[in-house]
Amino acid sequence: WTRRAALDAMYSLQVDFRFIHKFALAKIGLIQSDLCTFCNTDVETIDYLLFYCVYSRAFWEEFESVGSL
């Protein structure tokens, strides 16, 4: 291992443990379904959960509209 590879691996583990989502849990066999908890239509990755789920998009649209008042 080079120092850079070790740091990259540590960062990867840190990110994975901070953002435990259904995709990660299904990947290691802890749950059966990796579909989004809210909409149940697509794989729940951190990006999907925060930005692409219909419920997340509705939240962000409402957040933006309140912020523009």
Side-chain angles (χ1 to χ4, degrees), residues 34-53:
D34 60 358
L35 293 179
C36 178
T37 302
F38 300 108
C39 68
N40 212 29
T41 59
D42 208 339
V43 174
E44 183 181 295
T45 62
I46 194 63
D47 287 341
Y48 184 80
L49 189 59
L50 292 175
F51 303 111
Y52 300 109
C53 173

Side-chain angles (χ1 to χ4, degrees), residues 1-46:
W1 285 66
T2 65
R3 179 176 167 82
R4 178 67 186 176
L7 290 174
D8 288 347
M10 288 171 50
Y11 177 76
S12 177
L13 287 173
Q14 180 183 14
V15 169
D16 286 345
F17 287 120
R18 276 195 195 158
F19 299 110
I20 299 296
H21 44 81
K22 289 179 89 174
F23 177 75
L25 294 173
K27 188 175 178 182
I28 59 175
L30 291 178
I31 60 172
Q32 296 299 316
S33 174
D34 60 358
L35 293 179
C36 178
T37 302
F38 300 108
C39 68
N40 212 29
T41 59
D42 208 339
V43 174
E44 183 181 295
T45 62
I46 194 63

